[in-house]
Amino acid sequence: MPTTSPFVDLLNPEAFAGGHPHEQYRWLREHDPVHRHAEPDGPGFWALTRHADVRAVGRDAETFSSEPTIMIADPVEPGDGVHKMMLMADGADHTRLRRIAAGDFVPRAARLLRPRIAELAREIVGAVEGRGECDLVTDLAGLMPSYVIAELLDIPHADGVALYDLTEAIHASPEDGRAGPTGAEAVQLMFAHAHALWERKRAHPGDDLASRIVHASTGDRPLDELDFALYFLLLIDAGGDTTRNLVAGGMDALFAHPDQLAALRADPDGLMPTAVEELLRWVSPVVHMRRRATRDTVLGGREIAAGDKVVLYYGAANRDPARFPDPERLDLRRTPNDHLAFGGGPHFCLGAHVGRLEIAAMLREILALPGLEPAGPVEWQRSTFITGPRRMPVRFAPR
């Protein structure tokens, strides 16, 4: 049996209190890359930390299923086998659900959104530029994805912001000390918003994503209200996590690497495309996704039994020296950059193209704030599923 380390605990939210636990990842990659991790309230799981293994499992949906959940903990109640969130469906079910919204996120549709996204970025940053200080997370990074998904779904911007606040409650650990609703209460509040939108779009459909989902079918079955609620929750959640955490986490990384910050400020047009990819690699906003082995198999020399949980750690894969030369160095010119921040295989992030545009637009406007610098300590989310700053005070010269 491989050596184990007493400090490896990927279920402890405190390990993620400052971002990914890269020391743990490094030890696992070197000593136990397919690691049998204990689970206090479950059977345990295999933690994957090498790029090759994470990529291979993500691409093999037949052997490694996303059902019944992509979270490590098993569902409290089994599903009914009919209603599935796209992220937790396989095969034909996943394909049919993904096809419903795919047209709104393909590269051509994303390019059509570019002018509006640029306009929103100017409005968001313009609203704080006279203050001389703000919270980069709540006042800037979090607003862009909330506004974009709100416009796609035809709901008010304020609702988009409130809904994203609920997703933070869903992902927060009990030890986080957050005020407000619990995770379960937040899900119920999200479903209440979904119900109101379902009723409105059933009665008055329009040319928007919400209307297309409400009136869609999967095979010969029209989507019902529960299908819509699950889709709604996924869009709100996934629509905000990557952009918000990448913009804030990326700026934190740039502040810590002033040479890279200066280079991006000096040539935003030329450097932004590779900079966005490198910051995605560096921050890796999604910590993990879980899969379930559908049959006995072997992975990295370890025997995986049918039914075992297999967990893909993207932040670990994205610092693998076997894939990335000098992986602990932030290099905004890095190319090629085969990061897995958006996952891979059939579950590759549907909103990746829109997310990249949002990230680039926000970074461009934020970096234009004169004299921008940190104004206090950064508070990170204490979540074992999503990582990024929760609070990030900054100051700059008012204009």
Side-chain angles (χ1 to χ4, degrees), residues 83-235:
H83 299 89
K84 301 176 182 179
M85 184 179 286
M86 179 175 64
L87 201 59
M88 304 177 191
D90 292 319
D93 289 338
H94 172 261
T95 300
R96 285 192 288 263
L97 287 168
R98 188 178 177 98
R99 189 178 294 132
I100 292 168
D104 289 78
F105 296 99
V106 295
R108 179 178 179 276
R111 286 193 296 271
L112 293 175
L113 287 174
R114 187 193 299 270
R116 178 56 179 157
I117 288 173
E119 181 181 20
L120 285 171
R122 289 191 295 271
E123 291 176 2
I124 290 167
V125 176
V128 304
E129 64 182 1
R131 290 163 41 182
E133 61 180 9
C134 71
D135 188 299
L136 196 142
V137 180
T138 57
D139 294 326
L140 298 177
L143 295 185
M144 169 63 82
S146 298
Y147 288 178
V148 170
I149 197 64
E151 292 188 3
L152 288 172
L153 293 172
D154 189 29
I155 60 177
H157 282 181
D159 284 3
V161 175
L163 286 162
Y164 188 81
D165 288 342
L166 293 177
T167 70
E168 277 204 330
I170 293 170
H171 293 312
S173 69
E175 300 86 358
D176 199 20
R178 284 178 52 90
T182 65
E185 291 168 343
V187 170
Q188 291 304 311
L189 290 169
M190 293 273 282
F191 278 12
H193 279 271
H195 170 73
L197 186 56
W198 165 268
E199 292 289 339
R200 179 160 65 90
K201 292 303 179 181
R202 291 283 292 179
H204 305 288
D207 183 19
D208 55 78
L209 179 55
S211 296
R212 283 187 279 280
I213 300 171
V214 164
H215 295 277
S217 298
T218 57
D220 58 357
R221 184 179 73 84
L223 265 63
D224 61 24
E225 186 175 346
L226 179 53
D227 291 308
F228 177 75
L230 292 171
Y231 222 123
F232 178 84
L233 191 154
L234 174 61
L235 288 169

Side-chain angles (χ1 to χ4, degrees), residues 364-387:
R364 185 182 299 275
E365 295 299 326
I366 290 171
L367 290 170
L369 289 169
L372 179 70
E373 62 181 8
V378 178
E379 177 187 346
W380 285 72
Q381 298 181 54
R382 284 172 168 77
S383 168
T384 60
F385 183 63
I386 298 293
T387 186

Side-chain angles (χ1 to χ4, degrees), residues 222-291:
L223 265 63
D224 61 24
E225 186 175 346
L226 179 53
D227 291 308
F228 177 75
L230 292 171
Y231 222 123
F232 178 84
L233 191 154
L234 174 61
L235 288 169
I236 294 296
D237 196 350
D241 283 333
T242 299
T243 298
R244 175 174 176 152
N245 293 318
L246 192 283
V247 171
M251 286 303 306
D252 184 61
L254 291 171
F255 286 143
H257 297 81
D259 60 324
Q260 298 295 294
L261 175 59
L264 186 56
R265 275 184 168 143
D267 184 19
D269 292 334
L271 199 52
M272 191 64 74
T274 55
V276 169
E277 301 308 314
E278 177 68 346
L279 291 172
L280 283 163
R281 183 190 74 86
W282 189 265
V283 178
S284 296
V286 177
V287 173
H288 73 257
M289 290 285 175
R290 163 192 153 173
R291 299 292 185 258

